[in-house]
Amino acid sequence: MTVREAGSRAHRGDAEGTAHALRVLRARWRTASIAAGWRFPSDWGLPEVDDVCSSAVREADLTAALAGLGRARAESGAGLDETLTDLAALHAVLTTEDSRDGLIATDPNAAPTQLLRAAALAWADASCGELRNAETTENLTSLSTHAYLRTRLGEVYRQAARAGVPVSDTHALLVVTLDLSSVTGWSRLMAMVLVADVLREVFDGGESIAILGPSVAVVLAERDPFFGDRALHAGWLVTERLTVDPQLASGQRPWLRVERLPDAQEDARALLHRVSRA
């Protein structure tokens, strides 16, 4: 009995030590990546980031984990240059002692070629795959994809041109953004599932609801007298539903805003890209 208790305490100690090492590595990597130029801190953390950290802490081969991260970065809208700079930040963290001020110099040319290759090939494969297989819905939330929303916007702009009215007079884009920078693991995915459920519940009259990034969802809706009330109700429901998870309940409130659609369709597509990385 004594031996089992001692072993149990040792096991708990090892587990706590590993968890602490994961948190420290993740925080140092995020700080270094943002300092190196990562543009949107709220969309840096993905489940695949945790996979890479876990492999690094266990001193396992990083190739498979980095390939998974490369694919995830492409699917979330991050460019290849930004993805590789993030990888260089990871390499700097893994090879540099923690400094007193926490800042680490990142050298984009220092990361091992095999790791860069794994991430870059996976990123490219995911990017090309998105073009080949333009699915209309995202698997996790069942919301429309970025590609489908672009198609839907094209229909709206063609209809507006035929009617001779500006799109900004007929439609609006409601953007729902969550700050998931401090949320890890499956809670990040659950947050967007909850957001998707709320938006489908509130906007149930044929509006186009899409997922644009790891923490961004949008609604393309007609401007009617009840649009503002529905938007406010959606914000209240999202806040309420997030309280089911302690990680999500302790974070910031969701940010809801209405984006005015520009006159030109190309400008609207550029707006979608900016929104997806906000």
Side-chain angles (χ1 to χ4, degrees):
M1 184 71 169
T2 303
V3 173
R4 283 201 299 270
E5 289 179 350
S8 177
R9 285 196 296 271
H11 176 74
R12 288 197 300 270
D14 290 344
E16 291 171 0
T18 299
H20 175 72
L22 287 171
R23 289 193 298 270
V24 170
L25 174 57
R26 190 179 191 277
R28 293 183 67 209
W29 180 10
R30 182 175 184 273
T31 299
S33 187
I34 292 172
W38 187 269
R39 291 174 293 172
F40 301 95
S42 64
D43 72 0
W44 179 84
L46 298 172
E48 290 77 8
V49 166
D50 298 330
D51 294 340
V52 173
C53 289
S54 178
S55 295
V57 167
R58 292 185 289 106
E59 298 184 356
D61 184 9
L62 294 177
T63 304
L66 288 175
L69 181 61
R71 283 189 293 271
R73 291 296 190 211
E75 291 166 358
S76 67
L80 180 58
D81 182 64
E82 193 172 16
T83 298
L84 296 183
T85 300
D86 178 50
L87 180 55
L90 170 65
H91 179 260
V93 167
L94 293 176
T95 57
T96 306
E97 292 288 341
D98 196 2
S99 61
R100 182 171 300 177
D101 59 8
L103 297 179
I104 299 172
T106 297
D107 181 359
N109 299 315
T113 303
Q114 69 270 23
L115 299 186
L116 291 173
R117 185 174 185 274
L121 288 177
W123 184 95
D125 183 63
S127 297
C128 293
E130 182 179 348
L131 296 176
R132 291 193 304 267
N133 307 306
E135 300 290 342
T136 59
T137 58
E138 189 266 342
N139 290 333
L140 181 68
T141 62
S142 295
L143 295 185
S144 299
T145 61
H146 195 149
Y148 175 80
L149 187 60
R150 288 196 302 268
T151 300
R152 180 72 186 103
L153 267 177
E155 296 171 347
V156 169
Y157 273 85
R158 288 193 296 273
Q159 181 182 14
R162 185 174 63 183
V165 297
V167 171
S168 58
D169 289 351
T170 62
H171 288 76
L173 195 69
L174 175 66
V175 182
V176 183
T177 305
L178 300 182
D179 182 1
L180 301 177
S181 56
S182 61
V183 181
T184 61
W186 287 103
S187 291
R188 292 182 61 89
L189 304 180
M190 178 56 66
M192 295 312 295
V193 171
L194 294 174
V195 169
D197 286 344
V198 167
L199 294 181
R200 277 193 294 264
E201 178 180 332
V202 176
F203 295 94
D204 59 352
E207 297 87 352
S208 297
I209 308 172
I211 188 91
L212 293 192
S215 57
V216 182
V218 300
V219 180
L220 176 63
E222 292 185 4
R223 282 190 176 275
D224 61 36
F226 305 104
F227 174 72
D229 290 340
R230 288 201 297 272
L232 290 174
H233 184 52
W236 180 83
L237 281 180
V238 169
T239 302
E240 182 185 51
R241 303 279 171 86
L242 292 179
T243 60
V244 302
D245 188 311
Q247 276 203 73
L248 301 176
S250 61
Q252 297 183 7
R253 293 170 60 88
W255 179 29
L256 277 76
R257 66 189 189 278
V258 176
E259 291 281 356
R260 179 183 175 86
L261 289 169
D263 294 334
Q265 182 179 341
E266 288 303 314
D267 293 336
R269 290 185 173 183
L271 171 63
L272 288 186
H273 181 72
R274 291 196 302 273
V275 165
S276 69
R277 302 299 310 282

